[in-house]
Amino acid sequence: MTPKQQYYEHAANTIIKNLKRRRMDGYYCPTAAEAAELAMSFIKPGMTVSNGGSVTLQECGITDTLRDREDITYLDRTNGTTPEEVTGILRQALLSDCYFMSTNAITMDGELVNVDGSGNRVAALIFGPREVIIVAGMNKVTADIPSARRRVRGIASSPNCVRLGKNTPCAATGQCGDCLGDDCICSQTVITRRSGIPGRIKVILAGEELGY
């Protein structure tokens, strides 16, 4: 085990203890493949499942696995052919049995920090789906809330805007411009410090760098 792997494991154990205090379940997997396998183990036949937009879920292969499962109902936004159909699927997702997502940042104290454009992802995190499964690489870990917010603006937002083809200052310069334009993806900032329902939110930390 390398020093970085040891650090990841020790830091994850601290975060998992703090998640428990906040009524969230935490898990650590050394690899993305193991994290994906654990995440999929929570899905039972007959469930209705959906997910938020996430590079992490794509890199882990979770979105492809969900599409391939024939024993569940997968609410996939990419099946929408019009903006109205896509919005309808996003609304249905709020009533799913299980919702997959990543997080923009997680603090050592076990708080989740997420910034959204339309708000569908953070809405599902807050209320609706029976369970929320979060998969995050250890690169998402920050010391505290201020550093988590800096991480979103300084690291995550720019590549996400580039990926989504957004016309924003950060997409053009790599630096947050605190914009309010039509393409801004930083409309909602949600800090999850506690789960209202014990165990509803499950956080799987992977000992690799995943997503932005």
Side-chain angles (χ1 to χ4, degrees), residues 6-188:
Q6 291 182 49
Y7 158 70
Y8 280 164
E9 185 172 324
H10 296 328
N13 288 336
T14 297
I15 295 168
I16 289 167
K17 290 178 183 177
N18 289 324
L19 286 168
K20 186 175 181 180
R21 290 193 302 114
R22 300 177 182 280
R23 310 211 301 182
M24 292 180 273
D25 295 338
Y27 308 84
Y28 177 71
C29 296
T31 67
E34 291 171 292
E37 183 177 0
L38 175 59
M40 294 308 299
S41 72
F42 294 109
I43 305 302
K44 308 304 179 187
M47 278 187 168
T48 297
V49 182
S50 194
N51 63 274
S54 169
V55 172
T56 294
L57 297 183
Q58 294 173 3
E59 291 176 342
C60 288
I62 288 175
T63 47
D64 287 338
T65 302
L66 290 174
R67 290 189 182 102
D68 291 341
R69 283 192 61 161
E70 298 180 353
D71 60 341
I72 63 172
T73 298
Y74 177 43
L75 302 174
D76 184 357
R77 75 179 72 186
T78 64
N79 289 334
T81 58
T82 66
E84 291 76 18
E85 288 181 356
V86 172
T87 298
I89 294 170
L90 296 179
R91 287 175 174 164
Q92 291 177 51
L94 297 176
L95 299 176
S96 61
D97 295 306
C98 192
Y99 189 88
F100 283 85
M101 59 177 285
S102 189
T103 185
N104 295 129
I106 179 170
T107 71
M108 288 295 296
D109 203 32
E111 294 176 292
L112 309 174
V113 178
N114 285 283
V115 177
D116 242 15
S118 64
N120 64 291
R121 183 175 61 107
V122 293
L125 172 62
I126 294 169
F127 182 81
R130 294 182 186 276
E131 287 187 302
V132 176
I133 311 296
I134 295 173
V135 180
M138 289 297 291
N139 54 304
K140 302 286 188 75
V141 173
T142 66
D144 50 27
I145 295 295
S147 59
R149 298 185 71 160
R150 287 194 298 271
R151 182 189 188 282
V152 177
R153 289 195 168 203
I155 297 175
S157 293
S158 180
N160 269 313
C161 281
V162 172
R163 174 177 66 92
L164 297 169
K166 300 295 186 180
N167 181 23
T168 60
C170 70
T173 68
Q175 183 176 4
C176 176
D178 197 24
C179 68
L180 296 172
D182 292 341
D183 277 358
C184 177
I185 66 169
C186 299
S187 302
Q188 317 288 336

